[in-house]
Amino acid sequence: MKNPVTLPRRHLLTGSAAALSALGLAAWTRGAHAQAAPAAAAKPLPAYVGWKNPGSLIVHSSSTLETRRGAFGTGVVTPSSQLYIRNNLPAPDAAIVAERDAWTVSIEGVKAPRALTVAELRTLGIETVTTVLQCSGNGRGFFPSKPSGTPWTVGAAGCVVWSGVPLRNVVAALGGLAGAAAYLTGTGGEKLPEGVDPLSVVVERSVPIQALDDAILAWEMNGEPMPLAHGGPLRLIVPGYQGVNNIKYVKRVAFGAEQSQARIMSHGYRMSPPGTKAGPEQPSVWEMTTKSWINGPLPEQGTLKAGMVQVHGVAFGGTRGVRGVEVSVDGGKTWQAAQLIGPDLGRFAWRQFVLPARLAAGSHELLSRATDTAGNVQPEQREENLGGYNNTSWRDHGVTVVVA
């Protein structure tokens, strides 16, 4: 992807050091209407993520681990040890993080294209941004059509603090964009299997050029060197966009007029209606939209005692901040305004919310719906699609608790 365009520059929203020091770390678990029963037996963690907390994770496969809804807690930032895993290809050899500063990324579509080491990137500026990282299929497990892929519920997401160099700084250091461009394309550095067309397997995604304003090349996650399992030594972070666009082990960033021809871009992660075939004519999975869910109380906690409970959860707006959250304790018949709590770490982060509620004996369906700063309200119904992507339905994400 070559020949880009000059863009206005602005600063990323960042979490202040003071706000970060005040954080309580959070993690979470899977759960909703159909998940009151715990999993039979926990699978062991794969070796490359053996440092994670096994009690906080559901192992779907060696490349898909979901954070348990009940482990989420009431903090803002998701600890690295509890953050979900979703890899399209096996992680590269751990040797790549032995000398982190030697990792190189090629920058194309600029006036002075070249490869830069992480050591060189560190001289071009540093910014910190807190974002929701979410797999596009988070919520797929609620689709009655049972789309292929991991049946995530809420645990393929987290709120993460990233540190690195603003990509716009890198472009400026290389003379600016070389010409008109519509897309920013990132290419991952995973080892590709032999004997197949590279475009059929390479992790390479294009996003609209406007993402350059906020994108960073990150070498730290939650204040520590980027773990191999999450894309270390260097990851392209595109705030407000679904996880697949945040390229791990980024080896190439290019600017140009066309989207990548890689299959993961041309046919993968497309919003294809039921009965159709995925293809480049279908909308791509790009920006996240307004979403929330409840993290407590949960059905797996057993029968609750009648009286006051604190209904709490998380809400986010993709590329926009959260204006407010409403909670219903009667299945959506009535709604009450919840309180946003904890530090506001910027428009790309999520907000914790809480509603004190008095629950009488019986069964209660707890629901939440968020509104972003542009007035967009989280929808009641999911958008049906072949891949089970972008499920923001407040109806799907509710929980039912029993009170005695």
Side-chain angles (χ1 to χ4, degrees), residues 245-258:
N245 303 293
N246 294 255
I247 302 296
K248 300 183 184 78
Y249 326 108
V250 62
K251 285 295 291 181
R252 172 179 173 267
V253 174
F255 303 92
E258 303 294 334

PDB file of all heavy atoms in Angstrom, residues 245-258:
ATOM      1  N   ASN A 245      -7.655  -5.570  14.017  1.00  0.00           N
ATOM      2  CA  ASN A 245      -6.968  -4.460  13.349  1.00  0.00           C
ATOM      3  C   ASN A 245      -5.750  -3.962  14.125  1.00  0.00           C
ATOM      4  O   ASN A 245      -5.004  -3.118  13.626  1.00  0.00           O
ATOM      5  CB  ASN A 245      -7.951  -3.300  13.144  1.00  0.00           C
ATOM      6  CG  ASN A 245      -9.172  -3.714  12.355  1.00  0.00           C
ATOM      7  OD1 ASN A 245      -9.090  -4.028  11.182  1.00  0.00           O
ATOM      8  ND2 ASN A 245     -10.331  -3.750  13.008  1.00  0.00           N
ATOM      9  N   ASN A 246      -5.563  -4.486  15.325  1.00  0.00           N
ATOM     10  CA  ASN A 246      -4.434  -4.113  16.184  1.00  0.00           C
ATOM     11  C   ASN A 246      -3.341  -5.163  16.001  1.00  0.00           C
ATOM     12  O   ASN A 246      -3.279  -6.145  16.742  1.00  0.00           O
ATOM     13  CB  ASN A 246      -4.892  -4.031  17.639  1.00  0.00           C
ATOM     14  CG  ASN A 246      -5.874  -2.900  17.879  1.00  0.00           C
ATOM     15  OD1 ASN A 246      -5.541  -1.876  18.438  1.00  0.00           O
ATOM     16  ND2 ASN A 246      -7.117  -3.079  17.436  1.00  0.00           N
ATOM     17  N   ILE A 247      -2.494  -4.981  15.025  1.00  0.00           N
ATOM     18  CA  ILE A 247      -1.629  -6.034  14.497  1.00  0.00           C
ATOM     19  C   ILE A 247      -0.482  -6.387  15.445  1.00  0.00           C
ATOM     20  O   ILE A 247       0.345  -5.542  15.792  1.00  0.00           O
ATOM     21  CB  ILE A 247      -1.062  -5.625  13.124  1.00  0.00           C
ATOM     22  CG1 ILE A 247      -2.209  -5.323  12.139  1.00  0.00           C
ATOM     23  CG2 ILE A 247      -0.150  -6.707  12.564  1.00  0.00           C
ATOM     24  CD1 ILE A 247      -3.091  -6.499  11.810  1.00  0.00           C
ATOM     25  N   LYS A 248      -0.417  -7.668  15.821  1.00  0.00           N
ATOM     26  CA  LYS A 248       0.686  -8.162  16.647  1.00  0.00           C
ATOM     27  C   LYS A 248       1.949  -8.316  15.809  1.00  0.00           C
ATOM     28  O   LYS A 248       1.882  -8.524  14.592  1.00  0.00           O
ATOM     29  CB  LYS A 248       0.323  -9.519  17.252  1.00  0.00           C
ATOM     30  CG  LYS A 248      -0.909  -9.553  18.141  1.00  0.00           C
ATOM     31  CD  LYS A 248      -1.070 -10.961  18.716  1.00  0.00           C
ATOM     32  CE  LYS A 248      -2.340 -11.101  19.529  1.00  0.00           C
ATOM     33  NZ  LYS A 248      -3.530 -11.251  18.667  1.00  0.00           N
ATOM     34  N   TYR A 249       3.102  -8.266  16.496  1.00  0.00           N
ATOM     35  CA  TYR A 249       4.409  -8.496  15.856  1.00  0.00           C
ATOM     36  C   TYR A 249       4.523  -7.692  14.560  1.00  0.00           C
ATOM     37  O   TYR A 249       4.981  -8.179  13.535  1.00  0.00           O
ATOM     38  CB  TYR A 249       4.621  -9.990  15.543  1.00  0.00           C
ATOM     39  CG  TYR A 249       3.998 -10.912  16.552  1.00  0.00           C
ATOM     40  CD1 TYR A 249       2.860 -11.668  16.238  1.00  0.00           C
ATOM     41  CD2 TYR A 249       4.513 -11.011  17.842  1.00  0.00           C
ATOM     42  CE1 TYR A 249       2.268 -12.500  17.176  1.00  0.00           C
ATOM     43  CE2 TYR A 249       3.916 -11.836  18.783  1.00  0.00           C
ATOM     44  CZ  TYR A 249       2.802 -12.580  18.444  1.00  0.00           C
ATOM     45  OH  TYR A 249       2.203 -13.401  19.386  1.00  0.00           O
ATOM     46  N   VAL A 250       4.074  -6.440  14.611  1.00  0.00           N
ATOM     47  CA  VAL A 250       3.952  -5.659  13.375  1.00  0.00           C
ATOM     48  C   VAL A 250       5.317  -5.508  12.698  1.00  0.00           C
ATOM     49  O   VAL A 250       6.292  -5.094  13.308  1.00  0.00           O
ATOM     50  CB  VAL A 250       3.278  -4.295  13.648  1.00  0.00           C
ATOM     51  CG1 VAL A 250       4.091  -3.417  14.602  1.00  0.00           C
ATOM     52  CG2 VAL A 250       2.984  -3.564  12.342  1.00  0.00           C
ATOM     53  N   LYS A 251       5.361  -5.896  11.424  1.00  0.00           N
ATOM     54  CA  LYS A 251       6.601  -5.844  10.642  1.00  0.00           C
ATOM     55  C   LYS A 251       6.539  -4.818   9.518  1.00  0.00           C
ATOM     56  O   LYS A 251       7.560  -4.455   8.944  1.00  0.00           O
ATOM     57  CB  LYS A 251       6.882  -7.222  10.010  1.00  0.00           C
ATOM     58  CG  LYS A 251       7.377  -8.257  10.967  1.00  0.00           C
ATOM     59  CD  LYS A 251       8.745  -7.927  11.553  1.00  0.00           C
ATOM     60  CE  LYS A 251       9.872  -8.020  10.533  1.00  0.00           C
ATOM     61  NZ  LYS A 251      11.189  -7.712  11.145  1.00  0.00           N
ATOM     62  N   ARG A 252       5.340  -4.362   9.200  1.00  0.00           N
ATOM     63  CA  ARG A 252       5.182  -3.439   8.071  1.00  0.00           C
ATOM     64  C   ARG A 252       3.970  -2.564   8.325  1.00  0.00           C
ATOM     65  O   ARG A 252       2.902  -3.046   8.719  1.00  0.00           O
ATOM     66  CB  ARG A 252       5.013  -4.226   6.770  1.00  0.00           C
ATOM     67  CG  ARG A 252       4.656  -3.393   5.543  1.00  0.00           C
ATOM     68  CD  ARG A 252       4.553  -4.319   4.316  1.00  0.00           C
ATOM     69  NE  ARG A 252       4.056  -3.632   3.142  1.00  0.00           N
ATOM     70  CZ  ARG A 252       2.767  -3.583   2.768  1.00  0.00           C
ATOM     71  NH1 ARG A 252       1.836  -4.167   3.506  1.00  0.00           N
ATOM     72  NH2 ARG A 252       2.414  -2.932   1.672  1.00  0.00           N
ATOM     73  N   VAL A 253       4.140  -1.265   8.089  1.00  0.00           N
ATOM     74  CA  VAL A 253       3.024  -0.326   8.090  1.00  0.00           C
ATOM     75  C   VAL A 253       3.092   0.431   6.780  1.00  0.00           C
ATOM     76  O   VAL A 253       4.142   0.983   6.427  1.00  0.00           O
ATOM     77  CB  VAL A 253       3.103   0.650   9.282  1.00  0.00           C
ATOM     78  CG1 VAL A 253       2.008   1.706   9.174  1.00  0.00           C
ATOM     79  CG2 VAL A 253       2.982  -0.101  10.606  1.00  0.00           C
ATOM     80  N   ALA A 254       1.992   0.432   6.032  1.00  0.00           N
ATOM     81  CA  ALA A 254       1.998   1.058   4.704  1.00  0.00           C
ATOM     82  C   ALA A 254       0.760   1.921   4.534  1.00  0.00           C
ATOM     83  O   ALA A 254      -0.284   1.674   5.143  1.00  0.00           O
ATOM     84  CB  ALA A 254       2.055  -0.017   3.622  1.00  0.00           C
ATOM     85  N   PHE A 255       0.895   2.939   3.686  1.00  0.00           N
ATOM     86  CA  PHE A 255      -0.198   3.865   3.413  1.00  0.00           C
ATOM     87  C   PHE A 255      -0.468   3.859   1.918  1.00  0.00           C
ATOM     88  O   PHE A 255       0.460   3.943   1.109  1.00  0.00           O
ATOM     89  CB  PHE A 255       0.179   5.277   3.889  1.00  0.00           C
ATOM     90  CG  PHE A 255       0.542   5.333   5.341  1.00  0.00           C
ATOM     91  CD1 PHE A 255       1.866   5.189   5.755  1.00  0.00           C
ATOM     92  CD2 PHE A 255      -0.441   5.487   6.305  1.00  0.00           C
ATOM     93  CE1 PHE A 255       2.202   5.218   7.092  1.00  0.00           C
ATOM     94  CE2 PHE A 255      -0.112   5.517   7.655  1.00  0.00           C
ATOM     95  CZ  PHE A 255       1.209   5.376   8.047  1.00  0.00           C
ATOM     96  N   GLY A 256      -1.735   3.754   1.528  1.00  0.00           N
ATOM     97  CA  GLY A 256      -2.028   3.709   0.103  1.00  0.00           C
ATOM     98  C   GLY A 256      -3.495   3.869  -0.215  1.00  0.00           C
ATOM     99  O   GLY A 256      -4.331   4.079   0.670  1.00  0.00           O
ATOM    100  N   ALA A 257      -3.812   3.745  -1.495  1.00  0.00           N
ATOM    101  CA  ALA A 257      -5.163   3.997  -1.983  1.00  0.00           C
ATOM    102  C   ALA A 257      -6.068   2.775  -1.903  1.00  0.00           C
ATOM    103  O   ALA A 257      -7.288   2.894  -1.995  1.00  0.00           O
ATOM    104  CB  ALA A 257      -5.099   4.483  -3.439  1.00  0.00           C
ATOM    105  N   GLU A 258      -5.485   1.584  -1.738  1.00  0.00           N
ATOM    106  CA  GLU A 258      -6.267   0.353  -1.771  1.00  0.00           C
ATOM    107  C   GLU A 258      -6.124  -0.421  -0.464  1.00  0.00           C
ATOM    108  O   GLU A 258      -5.121  -0.315   0.238  1.00  0.00           O
ATOM    109  CB  GLU A 258      -5.801  -0.545  -2.930  1.00  0.00           C
ATOM    110  CG  GLU A 258      -5.876   0.109  -4.293  1.00  0.00           C
ATOM    111  CD  GLU A 258      -7.292   0.419  -4.732  1.00  0.00           C
ATOM    112  OE1 GLU A 258      -8.217  -0.280  -4.262  1.00  0.00           O
ATOM    113  OE2 GLU A 258      -7.477   1.348  -5.536  1.00  0.00           O
TER     114      GLU A 258
END
